[in-house]
Amino acid sequence: MEHNGQQVGRPRDSRVDEAITAAVRKLLGEVGYAGLTVAAVAECAGIGKASIYRRYATKHEMIFAAVVHGEVLEVPPDTGSLLGDLTALARVIVGHLSNPAAAGALMSLLGEIAADPTLAERFTTTFVEPERAGNAELLERAVRRGELERLPDIDLFHAMFGGTVLSWLFISHHDPHDLPERLARFACAALRSAAHQPFPSD
């Protein structure tokens, strides 16, 4: 049986997942993004290509899962405050995007995804929607606590928060050491301010 282009049934062997991740990261360091192939990853990991294609429909999904994050994301931790939650989320995103493997592959990967509508749709379903769901849970908690009067635009928040980290690291090439705290404070102030603004009239 297949789900979103991937076979499901027996539980996945975490050892195979770990071998794929290690092989992708190793090969990115040796041959770069352009030189990496599914066949090379399978050989390096000591597995068959079928094991990879049972997990990932494309090379792009395999690489993103190995260097950034997979399809399953943990719910952002509940720290008890909006600022704390945003700081924790920012630390996770910075951690995902600042590892050396991501730095070496992400911009090329995103460029190929942007140029292929079918690939972009799969990428959104597989990786972006789980991110948005986690963002929504974080912001809904703030509403339940009374820190925000209403739920903000989730898509806009997702693009602003993650996009800022992407720009900081890959366009401006700034040091990310204090970015999580700075971004969290900025976003928290913006969200609280926006929550008090009236919706625009039609």
Side-chain angles (χ1 to χ4, degrees), residues 131-183:
E131 293 176 358
R132 287 177 181 157
N135 290 177
E137 170 60 25
L138 184 155
L139 295 169
E140 286 166 1
R141 285 200 301 248
V143 174
R144 292 195 296 268
R145 293 190 198 107
E147 294 182 275
L148 297 178
E149 292 183 5
R150 59 175 179 262
L151 194 65
D153 185 319
I154 302 298
D155 287 341
L156 183 59
F157 172 82
H158 174 267
M160 179 277 295
F161 207 76
T164 296
V165 178
L166 197 67
S167 175
W168 190 270
L169 294 173
F170 296 105
I171 297 176
S172 300
H173 301 288
H174 290 318
D175 189 325
H177 76 280
D178 63 346
L179 178 59
E181 292 75 20
R182 293 172 64 183
L183 177 58

Side-chain angles (χ1 to χ4, degrees), residues 21 25 27 58 61 85 102 151 173 178 193:
T21 295
R25 294 187 174 198
L27 289 170
T58 67
E61 292 180 20
D85 287 1
L151 194 65
H173 301 288
D178 63 346
S193 176

Side-chain angles (χ1 to χ4, degrees), residues 1 6 8 19 24 27 38 55 62-64 72-73 75 91 98 101 123 129 155 157 160-161 163 181 185 196-197:
M1 185 172 72
Q6 297 181 35
V8 297
V24 168
L27 289 170
V38 171
R55 290 161 170 78
M62 175 188 68
I63 293 174
F64 190 89
V72 179
L73 291 175
V75 176
R91 286 173 178 159
S98 63
F123 180 82
E129 289 183 1
D155 287 341
F157 172 82
M160 179 277 295
F161 207 76
E181 292 75 20
R185 289 195 299 268
H196 293 289
Q197 300 299 317

Side-chain angles (χ1 to χ4, degrees), residues 33 63-64 67-68 96-97 101-111 123 166 170:
Y33 176 82
I63 293 174
F64 190 89
V67 304
V68 184
H96 284 162
L97 297 183
L106 193 56
M107 297 309 289
S108 296
L109 176 61
L110 293 178
F123 180 82
L166 197 67
F170 296 105

